[in-house]
Amino acid sequence: MDDEDLHLIPRTRAAELLSWAAEAGLDPVPEPAVRTVLTLLELGGARLHEGFPELSSPVLEHLLYEQLHLYVQPVGDPAQYAAAVRLLIEHQRAARRLNAKRREKLLAEAEWQGEVLVSLLRRADLVTWPRLYALLLRADGVPADDPAAVRAWLAAFRELPEEERHAAFDRAPDLDGDGNWDQPGRPLLVGVSTDGARRLLEQGLMTRSYRNLAELNARGLPMPAELAGEFEQFEEAVAQAAIDLCGEWTVPGLARLLLEEFPDLAPEEY
């Protein structure tokens, strides 16, 4: 299916925002964090103005408290996501989309909710399979840009006894608290969280696509050829896009490997 027609994944203006920030003398933020923030804001339902998501207190809370910890396993300081939000706030202020009082309020909210996000990312009880395996791969020095190396590591990990795998989960860096891997059903709970997060992402992708297709209809333009057939084809395209994003935000291709080649290492259902 042609995503140019379906408009599933947002084409963010991350590079433009970073270029503006550099000209304004603001502190740099890693581009992946900026792109992730802009993508999740749009998929979370934020309204767009000239291609940039518009911020409000509920939108910030949804992003920093409810969305990001479901998907991202950052390389480097997790405070980068709140920093990306602050860049967007400053950009909206410069574009006169926010007054001074509103800017200060949103900056304060981004600061403290960014701290909450950091704590959420460290909670072992909130981890998902892609996030957990991303931590283990990095701890073992597996190059994230080498799919063959990632696949080989997973294959070797599969050969370990279950007790050793659970012990590795308990030792995963950057997670606090007891993962309760010795408890029956614990892996399935992680699977439920993983599946739920991905389905939420699918909803956002599908809603975005519908919004763009409705614009085509309003302009009297034909629907994409892909939607002339069975709706299941569209659903599959959405599901595949969600899997790709989950990999982009952890280790590229990891989410797909866990689903398609190593489901026994990341169970999601009985």
Side-chain angles (χ1 to χ4, degrees):
M1 302 188 88
D2 186 358
D3 188 52
E4 291 299 322
D5 287 336
L6 297 178
H7 298 285
L8 289 173
I9 299 177
R11 274 71 162 171
T12 71
R13 300 178 68 177
E16 184 176 335
L17 179 59
L18 287 170
S19 177
W20 172 85
E23 293 177 2
L26 300 176
D27 292 338
V29 178
E31 183 171 356
V34 175
R35 189 169 57 249
T36 298
V37 161
L38 294 178
T39 297
L40 279 173
L41 282 170
E42 184 172 346
L43 295 180
R47 296 179 57 185
L48 298 182
H49 181 78
E50 296 182 349
F52 289 100
E54 294 193 329
L55 296 177
S56 64
S57 295
V59 165
L60 280 190
E61 182 177 7
H62 183 53
L63 173 73
L64 294 171
Y65 184 70
E66 299 177 14
Q67 284 184 293
L68 276 162
H69 76 273
L70 297 175
Y71 305 108
V72 303
Q73 194 55 59
V75 176
D77 188 356
Q80 61 191 281
Y81 299 106
V85 171
R86 291 195 295 273
L87 282 190
L88 186 56
I89 293 170
E90 297 293 8
H91 181 269
Q92 292 194 351
R93 171 58 178 162
R96 299 184 179 181
R97 303 291 299 174
L98 296 172
N99 60 32
K101 182 177 180 181
R102 189 65 180 152
R103 168 187 173 271
E104 290 299 324
K105 185 176 187 296
L106 289 177
L107 285 173
E109 291 174 350
E111 183 72 26
W112 73 263
Q113 292 204 46
E115 294 175 0
V116 172
L117 170 63
V118 172
S119 69
L120 293 174
L121 287 171
R122 296 194 65 90
R123 284 180 52 178
D125 62 320
L126 295 180
V127 77
T128 60
W129 288 126
R131 289 187 53 220
L132 180 58
Y133 279 103
L135 287 171
L136 297 180
L137 286 160
R138 292 172 191 165
D140 280 356
V142 180
D145 59 351
D146 186 343
V150 173
R151 181 181 284 105
W153 184 94
L154 290 170
F157 192 73
R158 172 188 268 165
E159 297 304 313
L160 297 176
E162 184 179 68
E163 296 78 9
E164 291 188 32
R165 296 201 302 269
H166 288 179
F169 295 157
D170 276 327
R171 295 193 303 270
D174 300 324
L175 292 181
D176 296 330
D178 187 352
N180 295 313
W181 292 104
D182 58 340
Q183 299 297 315
R186 170 59 176 151
L188 184 59
L189 290 177
V190 179
V192 169
S193 297
T194 302
D195 178 71
R198 193 171 58 250
R199 290 185 185 279
L200 286 173
L201 193 58
E202 290 175 9
Q203 290 176 14
L205 289 164
M206 192 171 290
T207 298
R208 181 180 189 275
S209 184
Y210 282 152
R211 186 165 56 244
N212 284 280
L213 296 175
E215 180 181 343
L216 289 180
N217 190 55
R219 292 161 55 193
L221 299 176
M223 289 291 100
E226 295 87 346
L227 294 183
E230 298 295 329
F231 180 72
E232 287 76 9
Q233 292 180 308
F234 178 50
E235 288 184 311
E236 180 62 18
V238 170
Q240 296 304 314
I243 294 169
D244 288 339
L245 282 175
C246 288
E248 178 182 327
W249 295 330
T250 51
V251 170
L254 175 60
R256 185 172 299 282
L257 282 170
L258 293 174
L259 277 168
E260 297 179 356
E261 297 186 34
F262 299 92
D264 52 315
L265 294 183
E268 293 190 9
E269 56 186 34
Y270 291 102

